[in-house]
Coordinates of all heavy atoms in Angstrom, one line a residue:
M1 N 46.9 100.7 191.6 CA 47.4 100.4 193.0 C 46.8 101.3 194.0 O 46.7 102.5 193.7 CB 48.9 100.5 193.0 CG 49.7 99.3 192.5 SD 51.4 99.2 193.1 CE 52.1 100.5 192.0
P2 N 46.4 100.8 195.1 CA 45.8 101.7 196.1 C 46.8 102.8 196.6 O 48.0 102.5 196.7 CB 45.4 100.7 197.3 CG 45.6 99.4 196.7 CD 46.4 99.4 195.5
N3 N 46.2 104.0 196.8 CA 47.1 105.1 197.3 C 46.8 105.3 198.7 O 45.7 105.5 199.2 CB 46.7 106.3 196.4 CG 47.6 107.5 196.8 OD1 47.4 108.2 197.7 ND2 48.7 107.6 196.0
I4 N 47.9 105.4 199.5 CA 47.8 105.7 200.9 C 48.5 107.0 201.2 O 49.7 107.2 200.7 CB 48.5 104.5 201.8 CG1 47.9 103.1 201.4 CG2 48.3 104.8 203.3 CD1 46.5 102.9 201.6
T5 N 47.9 107.8 202.0 CA 48.6 109.1 202.3 C 49.1 109.0 203.7 O 48.3 108.7 204.7 CB 47.6 110.3 202.1 OG1 47.3 110.4 200.7 CG2 48.3 111.6 202.6
Y6 N 50.4 109.3 203.9 CA 51.0 109.4 205.2 C 51.1 110.9 205.6 O 51.7 111.6 204.8 CB 52.4 108.7 205.2 CG 52.4 107.3 204.9 CD1 52.3 106.8 203.6 CD2 52.4 106.3 205.9 CE1 52.3 105.5 203.2 CE2 52.4 105.0 205.6 CZ 52.4 104.5 204.3 OH 52.3 103.2 204.0
R7 N 50.6 111.3 206.7 CA 50.7 112.7 207.2 C 51.6 112.7 208.4 O 51.4 112.1 209.4 CB 49.3 113.2 207.5 CG 49.3 114.7 207.8 CD 47.9 115.1 208.2 NE 47.0 115.0 207.1 CZ 45.7 114.7 207.3 NH1 45.2 114.4 208.5 NH2 44.9 114.6 206.2
S8 N 52.7 113.5 208.3 CA 53.6 113.6 209.4 C 53.0 114.4 210.5 O 52.0 115.1 210.3 CB 54.9 114.2 208.9 OG 54.7 115.6 208.6
A9 N 53.7 114.4 211.7 CA 53.1 115.1 212.8 C 53.1 116.6 212.5 O 52.2 117.4 213.1 CB 54.0 114.9 214.0
D10 N 53.9 117.1 211.6 CA 53.8 118.6 211.3 C 53.0 118.9 210.1 O 53.0 120.0 209.5 CB 55.2 119.2 211.2 CG 56.1 118.6 210.1 OD1 55.5 117.8 209.3 OD2 57.3 118.8 210.1
G11 N 52.2 117.9 209.6 CA 51.2 118.1 208.6 C 51.6 117.8 207.2 O 50.8 118.0 206.3
E12 N 52.9 117.4 207.0 CA 53.3 117.2 205.6 C 52.7 115.8 205.1 O 52.8 114.8 205.8 CB 54.9 117.1 205.5 CG 55.4 117.1 204.1 CD 56.9 116.8 204.1 OE1 57.5 117.2 205.1 OE2 57.3 116.3 203.1
E13 N 52.1 115.9 203.9 CA 51.5 114.7 203.4 C 52.3 114.0 202.3 O 52.8 114.7 201.4 CB 50.1 115.0 202.8 CG 49.2 115.5 203.9 CD 47.7 115.5 203.5 OE1 47.4 115.4 202.3 OE2 46.9 115.5 204.4
T14 N 52.5 112.7 202.4 CA 53.2 111.9 201.4 C 52.3 110.8 200.9 O 52.0 109.8 201.5 CB 54.5 111.3 202.0 OG1 55.2 112.3 202.6 CG2 55.3 110.6 200.9
P15 N 51.7 111.0 199.7 CA 50.9 109.9 199.1 C 51.8 108.9 198.4 O 52.7 109.2 197.7 CB 50.0 110.6 198.1 CG 50.6 112.0 197.9 CD 51.8 112.2 198.8
I16 N 51.5 107.6 198.7 CA 52.3 106.5 198.1 C 51.4 105.5 197.5 O 50.4 105.0 198.2 CB 53.3 105.9 199.1 CG1 54.2 107.0 199.7 CG2 54.1 104.8 198.5 CD1 55.1 106.4 200.8
D17 N 51.6 105.0 196.3 CA 50.9 103.9 195.7 C 51.5 102.6 196.2 O 52.7 102.4 196.1 CB 51.0 103.9 194.2 CG 50.2 105.1 193.6 OD1 49.2 105.5 194.2 OD2 50.6 105.5 192.5
L18 N 50.7 101.7 196.8 CA 51.2 100.5 197.4 C 50.5 99.3 196.7 O 49.3 99.4 196.4 CB 51.0 100.5 198.9 CG 51.7 101.5 199.7 CD1 51.3 101.4 201.2 CD2 53.2 101.3 199.6
K19 N 51.2 98.2 196.6 CA 50.7 97.0 196.1 C 49.7 96.4 197.1 O 50.0 96.4 198.3 CB 51.8 96.0 195.9 CG 51.7 95.3 194.5 CD 53.0 94.5 194.2 CE 52.9 93.2 194.9 NZ 54.1 92.4 194.7
A20 N 48.6 95.9 196.7 CA 47.6 95.3 197.6 C 48.3 94.1 198.3 O 49.2 93.4 197.7 CB 46.4 94.8 196.8
G21 N 48.1 94.0 199.6 CA 48.7 92.9 200.3 C 49.9 93.4 201.1 O 50.3 92.7 202.1
T22 N 50.5 94.5 200.8 CA 51.5 95.2 201.6 C 50.9 95.7 202.8 O 49.7 96.1 202.8 CB 52.1 96.4 200.8 OG1 52.4 95.9 199.5 CG2 53.3 96.9 201.4
S23 N 51.6 95.8 203.9 CA 51.1 96.5 205.1 C 51.4 98.0 205.0 O 52.3 98.4 204.3 CB 51.6 95.9 206.4 OG 52.9 96.3 206.6
V24 N 50.6 98.8 205.7 CA 50.9 100.2 205.7 C 52.2 100.5 206.3 O 53.0 101.4 205.9 CB 49.7 101.0 206.5 CG1 50.0 102.4 206.8 CG2 48.4 100.8 205.7
M25 N 52.7 99.7 207.3 CA 54.0 99.8 207.9 C 55.1 99.6 206.8 O 56.0 100.4 206.6 CB 54.2 98.9 209.1 CG 55.6 98.9 209.7 SD 56.8 97.8 208.9 CE 56.3 96.2 209.4
E26 N 54.9 98.4 206.1 CA 55.9 98.1 205.1 C 56.0 99.2 204.0 O 57.1 99.5 203.5 CB 55.6 96.8 204.4 CG 55.8 95.6 205.3 CD 55.1 94.3 204.7 OE1 54.1 94.4 204.0 OE2 55.5 93.2 205.1
G27 N 54.9 99.7 203.6 CA 54.8 100.8 202.6 C 55.7 102.0 203.1 O 56.4 102.6 202.2
A28 N 55.6 102.3 204.3 CA 56.4 103.5 204.8 C 57.9 103.1 204.9 O 58.7 103.9 204.4 CB 55.9 103.8 206.2
V29 N 58.2 102.0 205.4 CA 59.6 101.6 205.6 C 60.3 101.4 204.2 O 61.4 102.0 204.0 CB 59.7 100.3 206.5 CG1 61.1 99.8 206.5 CG2 59.2 100.6 207.9
T30 N 59.7 100.7 203.3 CA 60.3 100.5 202.0 C 60.4 101.8 201.2 O 61.3 101.8 200.3 CB 59.6 99.4 201.2 OG1 58.3 99.8 201.0 CG2 59.7 98.0 201.9
N31 N 59.6 102.8 201.5 CA 59.7 104.0 200.8 C 60.5 105.1 201.6 O 60.6 106.3 201.2 CB 58.3 104.6 200.5 CG 57.7 103.8 199.3 OD1 58.1 104.0 198.2 ND2 56.8 102.9 199.6
G32 N 61.2 104.6 202.6 CA 62.1 105.5 203.4 C 61.4 106.7 204.1 O 62.0 107.7 204.3
L33 N 60.2 106.5 204.5 CA 59.4 107.5 205.2 C 59.8 107.6 206.6 O 59.9 106.5 207.3 CB 57.9 107.2 205.1 CG 57.0 108.3 205.0 CD1 57.2 109.2 203.8 CD2 55.5 107.8 205.0
D34 N 60.1 108.8 207.2 CA 60.5 108.9 208.6 C 59.2 108.7 209.5 O 58.1 109.1 209.1 CB 61.0 110.3 208.8 CG 62.4 110.4 208.3 OD1 63.1 109.4 208.2 OD2 62.9 111.6 208.1
G35 N 59.4 108.2 210.7 CA 58.4 108.2 211.7 C 57.7 106.9 211.9 O 57.0 106.7 212.9
I36 N 57.8 106.0 210.9 CA 57.2 104.6 211.2 C 58.4 103.7 211.2 O 59.1 103.6 210.1 CB 56.2 104.2 210.1 CG1 55.0 105.1 210.2 CG2 55.8 102.8 210.3 CD1 53.8 104.8 209.3
V37 N 58.7 103.1 212.3 CA 59.9 102.3 212.4 C 59.7 100.8 212.1 O 60.5 100.3 211.3 CB 60.5 102.4 213.9 CG1 61.8 101.7 214.0 CG2 60.7 103.9 214.2
G38 N 58.7 100.2 212.6 CA 58.5 98.8 212.3 C 59.6 97.9 212.8 O 60.0 97.0 212.1
E39 N 60.1 98.1 214.0 CA 61.2 97.4 214.5 C 61.1 95.9 214.5 O 62.1 95.2 214.2 CB 61.4 97.9 216.0 CG 62.8 97.7 216.5 CD 63.0 98.5 217.8 OE1 62.4 98.1 218.8 OE2 63.7 99.5 217.7
C40 N 59.9 95.4 214.8 CA 59.8 93.9 214.9 C 59.4 93.3 213.5 O 59.2 92.1 213.4 CB 58.7 93.5 215.9 SG 57.0 93.8 215.4
G41 N 59.3 94.1 212.5 CA 59.1 93.6 211.2 C 57.6 93.2 210.9 O 57.3 92.5 210.0
G42 N 56.7 93.6 211.9 CA 55.3 93.3 211.6 C 54.8 92.2 212.4 O 53.7 91.7 212.2
S43 N 55.5 91.7 213.5 CA 55.0 90.6 214.2 C 54.4 90.9 215.5 O 54.3 90.1 216.5 CB 56.2 89.6 214.4 OG 57.3 90.2 214.9
L44 N 53.9 92.1 215.6 CA 53.1 92.6 216.8 C 53.9 92.5 218.1 O 53.4 92.1 219.1 CB 51.8 91.8 217.0 CG 50.6 92.3 216.2 CD1 49.4 91.3 216.4 CD2 50.2 93.7 216.7
M45 N 55.2 92.9 218.0 CA 56.1 92.8 219.2 C 56.7 94.2 219.6 O 57.5 94.2 220.4 CB 57.2 91.8 218.9 CG 56.8 90.5 218.5 SD 56.3 89.5 219.9 CE 57.9 89.1 220.6
C46 N 56.3 95.3 218.9 CA 57.0 96.5 219.2 C 56.2 97.8 219.4 O 56.6 98.6 220.2 CB 58.1 96.7 218.2 SG 57.5 97.3 216.6
A47 N 55.2 98.0 218.6 CA 54.4 99.2 218.6 C 55.1 100.4 218.1 O 54.7 101.5 218.3 CB 53.8 99.5 220.0
T48 N 56.2 100.2 217.3 CA 56.9 101.3 216.7 C 56.3 101.6 215.3 O 57.0 102.3 214.5 CB 58.4 101.1 216.6 OG1 58.7 100.0 215.8 CG2 59.0 100.9 218.0
C49 N 55.2 101.1 215.0 CA 54.5 101.3 213.7 C 53.2 102.0 214.0 O 52.3 102.0 213.1 CB 54.3 100.0 213.0 SG 53.2 98.9 213.9
H50 N 53.0 102.6 215.2 CA 51.8 103.3 215.6 C 51.4 104.4 214.6 O 52.3 105.2 214.3 CB 52.0 103.8 217.0 CG 50.9 104.5 217.6 ND1 51.1 105.5 218.6 CD2 49.6 104.5 217.4 CE1 49.9 106.0 219.0 NE2 49.0 105.4 218.3
V51 N 50.2 104.4 214.2 CA 49.6 105.5 213.4 C 48.2 105.9 213.9 O 47.6 105.1 214.6 CB 49.5 105.2 211.9 CG1 50.9 105.0 211.3 CG2 48.6 104.0 211.7
Y52 N 47.8 107.1 213.6 CA 46.4 107.5 213.8 C 45.7 107.5 212.4 O 46.1 108.2 211.5 CB 46.3 108.9 214.4 CG 47.1 109.1 215.6 CD1 48.2 110.0 215.7 CD2 46.8 108.4 216.8 CE1 48.9 110.1 216.9 CE2 47.5 108.6 218.0 CZ 48.6 109.5 218.0 OH 49.3 109.6 219.2
V53 N 44.7 106.7 212.4 CA 43.9 106.6 211.1 C 43.0 107.8 211.1 O 42.4 108.2 212.1 CB 43.1 105.3 211.1 CG1 42.2 105.2 209.9 CG2 44.0 104.1 211.1
A54 N 42.8 108.4 209.9 CA 41.9 109.6 209.8 C 40.5 109.1 210.3 O 40.0 108.0 210.0 CB 41.8 110.0 208.4
A55 N 39.9 110.0 211.1 CA 38.6 109.7 211.7 C 37.6 109.1 210.8 O 36.9 108.1 211.1 CB 38.0 110.9 212.4
N56 N 37.5 109.6 209.6 CA 36.4 109.1 208.6 C 36.9 107.9 207.9 O 36.2 107.3 207.1 CB 36.0 110.2 207.6 CG 37.2 110.8 206.9 OD1 38.3 110.5 207.2 ND2 36.9 111.6 205.8
D57 N 38.1 107.4 208.2 CA 38.6 106.1 207.6 C 38.5 104.9 208.6 O 38.6 103.8 208.2 CB 40.0 106.3 207.2 CG 40.2 107.0 205.8 OD1 39.2 107.0 205.1 OD2 41.2 107.6 205.6
V58 N 38.3 105.2 209.8 CA 38.3 104.1 210.9 C 37.3 103.0 210.5 O 37.7 101.8 210.6 CB 37.9 104.7 212.3 CG1 37.7 103.6 213.3 CG2 39.0 105.7 212.7
E59 N 36.1 103.4 210.0 CA 35.1 102.3 209.7 C 35.5 101.5 208.5 O 35.0 100.4 208.3 CB 33.8 103.0 209.4 CG 33.2 103.9 210.5 CD 32.7 103.0 211.6 OE1 31.9 102.2 211.4 OE2 33.2 103.2 212.8
R60 N 36.5 101.9 207.8 CA 36.9 101.1 206.6 C 37.8 100.0 206.9 O 38.1 99.1 206.1 CB 37.6 102.1 205.6 CG 36.7 103.2 205.1 CD 37.5 104.2 204.3 NE 37.9 103.7 203.0 CZ 38.9 104.2 202.2 NH1 39.5 105.3 202.6 NH2 39.2 103.7 201.1
L61 N 38.4 100.0 208.2 CA 39.3 99.0 208.6 C 38.7 97.9 209.4 O 37.7 98.1 210.1 CB 40.4 99.6 209.4 CG 41.2 100.7 208.8 CD1 42.3 101.3 209.8 CD2 41.9 100.2 207.5
P62 N 39.2 96.7 209.2 CA 38.7 95.6 210.1 C 39.1 96.0 211.6 O 40.1 96.7 211.8 CB 39.5 94.4 209.7 CG 40.3 94.8 208.5 CD 40.3 96.3 208.3
P63 N 38.3 95.5 212.5 CA 38.6 95.8 213.9 C 40.0 95.3 214.4 O 40.5 94.4 213.8 CB 37.5 95.2 214.7 CG 36.8 94.3 213.8 CD 37.2 94.6 212.4
K64 N 40.5 95.9 215.4 CA 41.8 95.5 216.0 C 41.6 94.1 216.6 O 40.6 93.8 217.2 CB 42.2 96.4 217.2 CG 42.6 97.8 216.7 CD 42.8 98.6 218.0 CE 42.0 99.9 217.8 NZ 41.9 100.8 218.8
S65 N 42.7 93.3 216.6 CA 42.7 92.1 217.3 C 43.0 92.4 218.7 O 43.5 93.5 219.1 CB 43.7 91.1 216.7 OG 45.0 91.6 217.0
E66 N 42.8 91.4 219.6 CA 43.1 91.6 221.0 C 44.6 91.8 221.2 O 45.0 92.7 222.0 CB 42.7 90.3 221.8 CG 42.2 90.5 223.2 CD 41.7 89.3 223.7 OE1 40.6 88.8 223.2 OE2 42.3 88.8 224.7
V67 N 45.4 91.1 220.4 CA 46.9 91.3 220.6 C 47.3 92.7 220.1 O 48.1 93.4 220.8 CB 47.6 90.2 219.8 CG1 49.1 90.4 220.0 CG2 47.2 88.9 220.1
E68 N 46.7 93.2 219.0 CA 47.0 94.6 218.6 C 46.6 95.6 219.7 O 47.4 96.5 220.0 CB 46.3 94.9 217.3 CG 46.6 96.3 216.8 CD 45.9 96.7 215.5 OE1 45.3 95.8 214.9 OE2 46.0 97.9 215.1
E69 N 45.5 95.4 220.2 CA 45.0 96.2 221.3 C 46.0 96.3 222.5 O 46.3 97.3 223.0 CB 43.6 95.7 221.8 CG 42.8 96.6 222.6 CD 41.8 97.4 221.7 OE1 41.0 96.8 221.0 OE2 41.9 98.6 221.8
E70 N 46.4 95.1 222.9 CA 47.4 95.0 224.0 C 48.7 95.7 223.7 O 49.3 96.4 224.5 CB 47.6 93.6 224.4 CG 46.5 93.0 225.2 CD 46.6 91.5 225.3 OE1 47.7 90.9 225.1 OE2 45.6 90.9 225.6
M71 N 49.2 95.4 222.5 CA 50.5 95.9 222.1 C 50.5 97.5 221.9 O 51.4 98.2 222.3 CB 51.0 95.3 220.8 CG 52.4 95.6 220.4 SD 53.6 95.4 221.7 CE 53.4 93.6 222.1
L72 N 49.3 98.0 221.5 CA 49.2 99.4 221.3 C 49.4 100.2 222.7 O 49.9 101.3 222.7 CB 47.7 99.7 220.9 CG 47.6 100.1 219.4 CD1 46.1 100.3 219.1 CD2 48.3 101.4 219.0
E73 N 49.1 99.5 223.8 CA 49.3 100.1 225.1 C 50.7 100.5 225.4 O 51.0 101.3 226.2 CB 48.7 99.2 226.2 CG 47.2 99.3 226.2 CD 46.6 98.2 227.1 OE1 47.2 97.8 228.0 OE2 45.4 97.8 226.8
S74 N 51.6 99.8 224.7 CA 53.1 100.1 224.9 C 53.6 101.2 223.9 O 54.8 101.4 223.8 CB 53.9 98.9 224.9 OG 53.8 98.2 223.6
A75 N 52.7 101.7 223.1 CA 53.2 102.8 222.1 C 53.7 104.0 222.9 O 53.2 104.3 224.0 CB 52.0 103.1 221.2
A76 N 54.7 104.6 222.3 CA 55.3 105.8 223.0 C 54.4 107.0 223.0 O 54.3 107.7 224.0 CB 56.6 106.1 222.3
A77 N 53.7 107.3 221.9 CA 52.8 108.5 221.8 C 51.5 108.2 222.4 O 51.1 107.0 222.6 CB 52.7 108.9 220.3
E78 N 50.8 109.3 222.6 CA 49.4 109.2 223.2 C 48.5 108.2 222.3 O 48.6 108.2 221.1 CB 48.8 110.6 223.1 CG 47.3 110.7 223.4 CD 46.7 112.0 222.8 OE1 47.4 112.7 222.1 OE2 45.5 112.2 223.1
I79 N 47.7 107.4 223.0 CA 46.8 106.5 222.3 C 45.5 107.2 222.1 O 45.0 107.8 223.1 CB 46.6 105.2 223.1 CG1 47.9 104.5 223.5 CG2 45.7 104.2 222.4 CD1 48.8 104.1 222.3
R80 N 45.0 107.2 220.9 CA 43.7 107.8 220.7 C 42.7 106.7 220.1 O 43.2 105.6 219.8 CB 43.8 108.9 219.6 CG 44.8 109.9 220.0 CD 44.9 110.9 218.8 NE 46.0 111.9 219.1 CZ 46.6 112.6 218.1 NH1 46.2 112.5 216.9 NH2 47.6 113.4 218.4
P81 N 41.4 107.0 220.1 CA 40.5 106.0 219.6 C 40.8 105.6 218.1 O 40.4 104.5 217.7 CB 39.1 106.7 219.6 CG 39.3 107.8 220.6 CD 40.7 108.2 220.6
T82 N 41.5 106.4 217.4 CA 41.9 106.1 216.0 C 43.3 105.5 215.9 O 43.7 105.3 214.8 CB 41.9 107.4 215.2 OG1 42.8 108.3 215.8 CG2 40.5 108.1 215.2
S83 N 43.9 105.1 217.0 CA 45.2 104.5 217.0 C 45.2 103.1 216.4 O 44.3 102.3 216.7 CB 45.8 104.4 218.4 OG 46.2 105.7 218.9
R84 N 46.1 102.8 215.6 CA 46.3 101.4 215.0 C 47.8 101.2 214.9 O 48.6 102.1 214.8 CB 45.7 101.3 213.6 CG 44.2 101.4 213.6 CD 43.4 100.4 214.4 NE 43.7 99.0 214.0 CZ 42.8 98.3 213.3 NH1 41.7 98.8 212.9 NH2 43.1 97.0 213.0
L85 N 48.1 99.9 214.8 CA 49.5 99.5 214.5 C 49.5 99.2 213.0 O 48.7 98.4 212.5 CB 49.9 98.2 215.3 CG 50.0 98.4 216.8 CD1 50.4 97.1 217.5 CD2 51.0 99.5 217.1
S86 N 50.3 100.0 212.3 CA 50.2 100.0 210.8 C 50.7 98.7 210.2 O 50.3 98.4 209.0 CB 51.0 101.2 210.2 OG 52.3 101.2 210.6
C87 N 51.4 97.9 210.9 CA 51.8 96.6 210.4 C 50.6 95.7 210.3 O 50.6 94.6 209.6 CB 52.9 95.9 211.2 SG 52.4 95.4 212.8
Q88 N 49.5 96.0 211.0 CA 48.3 95.2 210.9 C 47.3 95.7 209.9 O 46.2 95.1 209.8 CB 47.7 95.1 212.3 CG 48.6 94.6 213.4 CD 49.1 93.2 213.0 OE1 48.3 92.2 212.8 NE2 50.4 93.0 212.8
I89 N 47.6 96.8 209.2 CA 46.7 97.3 208.2 C 47.2 96.8 206.9 O 48.2 97.3 206.3 CB 46.6 98.8 208.2 CG1 46.2 99.3 209.6 CG2 45.6 99.3 207.2 CD1 46.3 100.8 209.8
K90 N 46.5 95.8 206.3 CA 46.9 95.3 205.0 C 46.2 96.2 203.9 O 45.0 96.4 204.0 CB 46.4 93.9 204.8 CG 47.2 92.9 205.7 CD 48.6 92.7 205.4 CE 49.3 91.8 206.4 NZ 50.7 92.2 206.7
V91 N 47.0 96.6 203.0 CA 46.5 97.4 201.9 C 45.6 96.6 201.0 O 46.0 95.5 200.6 CB 47.6 98.1 201.1 CG1 47.1 98.9 199.9 CG2 48.4 99.0 202.1
T92 N 44.4 97.1 200.7 CA 43.5 96.4 199.7 C 43.0 97.5 198.8 O 43.1 98.7 199.1 CB 42.3 95.8 200.4 OG1 41.6 96.8 201.1 CG2 42.7 94.7 201.4
D93 N 42.4 97.1 197.6 CA 41.9 98.1 196.7 C 40.8 99.0 197.4 O 40.7 100.2 197.1 CB 41.3 97.4 195.5 CG 42.4 96.8 194.6 OD1 43.5 97.3 194.7 OD2 42.1 95.8 193.9
E94 N 40.1 98.4 198.3 CA 39.1 99.1 199.0 C 39.6 100.2 199.9 O 38.9 101.1 200.3 CB 38.2 98.1 199.9 CG 37.3 97.2 199.2 CD 38.1 96.1 198.4 OE1 39.2 95.6 199.0 OE2 37.7 95.7 197.3
L95 N 40.9 100.1 200.3 CA 41.5 101.1 201.2 C 42.1 102.3 200.4 O 42.8 103.1 201.0 CB 42.5 100.5 202.1 CG 41.9 99.6 203.2 CD1 43.1 99.2 204.2 CD2 40.9 100.4 204.0
D96 N 41.9 102.3 199.1 CA 42.5 103.4 198.3 C 42.0 104.7 198.9 O 40.9 104.9 199.2 CB 42.0 103.3 196.8 CG 42.5 104.3 195.9 OD1 43.7 104.6 196.0 OD2 41.7 104.9 195.2
G97 N 43.0 105.6 199.1 CA 42.6 106.9 199.6 C 42.8 107.0 201.1 O 42.5 108.1 201.7
L98 N 43.2 105.9 201.8 CA 43.3 105.9 203.3 C 44.4 107.0 203.7 O 45.4 107.1 203.0 CB 43.8 104.5 203.7 CG 44.0 104.4 205.2 CD1 42.6 104.2 205.9 CD2 44.9 103.2 205.5
V99 N 44.1 107.7 204.8 CA 45.0 108.6 205.3 C 45.4 108.2 206.7 O 44.5 107.9 207.6 CB 44.4 110.1 205.4 CG1 45.4 111.1 206.0 CG2 44.0 110.5 204.0
V100 N 46.7 108.1 207.0 CA 47.2 107.8 208.3 C 48.1 108.9 208.8 O 48.9 109.4 208.0 CB 47.9 106.4 208.4 CG1 47.0 105.3 208.1 CG2 49.1 106.4 207.5
E101 N 48.0 109.3 210.1 CA 48.9 110.3 210.6 C 50.0 109.6 211.5 O 49.7 108.7 212.3 CB 48.1 111.3 211.5 CG 48.8 112.4 212.0 CD 48.0 113.3 212.9 OE1 46.8 113.4 212.7 OE2 48.6 113.8 213.9
I102 N 51.2 110.1 211.3 CA 52.3 109.5 212.0 C 52.5 110.3 213.3 O 52.6 111.5 213.3 CB 53.6 109.6 211.2 CG1 53.4 108.8 209.8 CG2 54.8 109.0 211.9 CD1 54.5 109.0 208.8
P103 N 52.6 109.6 214.5 CA 52.8 110.3 215.7 C 54.2 111.0 215.8 O 55.1 110.6 215.0 CB 52.7 109.2 216.8 CG 52.4 107.9 216.1 CD 52.5 108.1 214.7
E104 N 54.3 111.9 216.7 CA 55.6 112.6 216.8 C 56.8 111.7 217.1 O 57.9 111.9 216.6 CB 55.4 113.7 217.9 CG 56.1 115.0 217.5 CD 55.6 116.1 218.3 OE1 54.4 116.4 218.2 OE2 56.4 116.7 219.1
S105 N 56.5 110.7 217.9 CA 57.6 109.8 218.3 C 57.1 108.4 218.4 O 56.0 108.1 218.7 CB 58.1 110.3 219.7 OG 59.0 109.3 220.2
Q106 N 58.0 107.4 218.2 CA 57.7 106.0 218.3 C 58.5 105.4 219.5 O 58.4 104.2 219.7 CB 58.1 105.2 217.0 CG 57.3 105.7 215.8 CD 55.8 105.2 215.8 OE1 55.3 104.6 216.8 NE2 55.1 105.5 214.7
Y107 N 59.3 106.2 220.1 CA 60.1 105.7 221.3 C 59.8 106.5 222.5 O 59.5 107.7 222.4 CB 61.6 105.8 221.0 CG 62.0 104.8 219.9 CD1 62.3 105.3 218.6 CD2 62.1 103.5 220.1 CE1 62.7 104.4 217.6 CE2 62.5 102.6 219.1 CZ 62.8 103.1 217.9 OH 63.2 102.2 216.9
Ligands
LIG201 FE1 56.2 95.9 215.4 FE2 54.0 96.7 214.0 S1 56.0 96.6 213.3 S2 54.1 95.9 216.0

């Protein structure tokens, strides 16, 4: 199973093995990880699943959709070039080793 590492704002890393097809948001929520809320359940309506993808991992992800781009603008934390909504990142075998950083706040 692909392994995704979640890094908290204070640098603590939590690696989790996730089934392919799961979203990075679902992986965090179902494993009780703090900091990724996923309020809308992954339907691009909330931006409480905001993460920063590690700079060297950005190229591994498909580009953001226009809707993701727009919804990101309502994220509570600072938006960076590496910002993504984690409900839109589907875990695949190719994403094994992906690192995402959780912002300090989602509200
Ligand atoms: Fe709401 Fe990702 S969970 S936009």
Side-chain angles (χ1 to χ4, degrees):
M1 277 199 284
N3 184 278
I4 307 296
T5 294
Y6 297 84
R7 186 181 296 142
S8 69
D10 59 12
E12 190 186 335
E13 295 196 344
T14 308
I16 302 179
D17 290 332
L18 295 176
K19 225 168 85 182
T22 309
S23 75
V24 169
M25 177 277 283
E26 289 165 335
V29 171
T30 57
N31 285 284
L33 210 63
D34 284 340
I36 295 182
V37 181
E39 201 164 75
C40 75
S43 50
L44 272 178
M45 302 282 284
C46 74
T48 63
C49 63
H50 178 205
V51 295
Y52 304 115
V53 174
N56 55 349
D57 281 334
V58 171
E59 300 289 304
R60 300 170 70 193
L61 300 180
K64 287 174 237 174
S65 69
E66 212 172 295
V67 184
E68 180 181 351
E69 195 92 60
E70 281 168 20
M71 189 49 61
L72 256 176
E73 287 170 23
S74 60
E78 172 201 4
I79 306 300
R80 302 177 190 163
T82 58
S83 287
R84 294 297 302 254
L85 293 178
S86 59
C87 67
Q88 300 304 301
I89 306 174
K90 294 292 176 214
V91 175
T92 60
D93 290 335
E94 290 71 35
L95 287 185
D96 182 45
L98 181 79
V99 178
V100 296
E101 187 185 324
I102 302 171
E104 220 160 295
S105 170
Q106 298 286 6
Y107 292 105

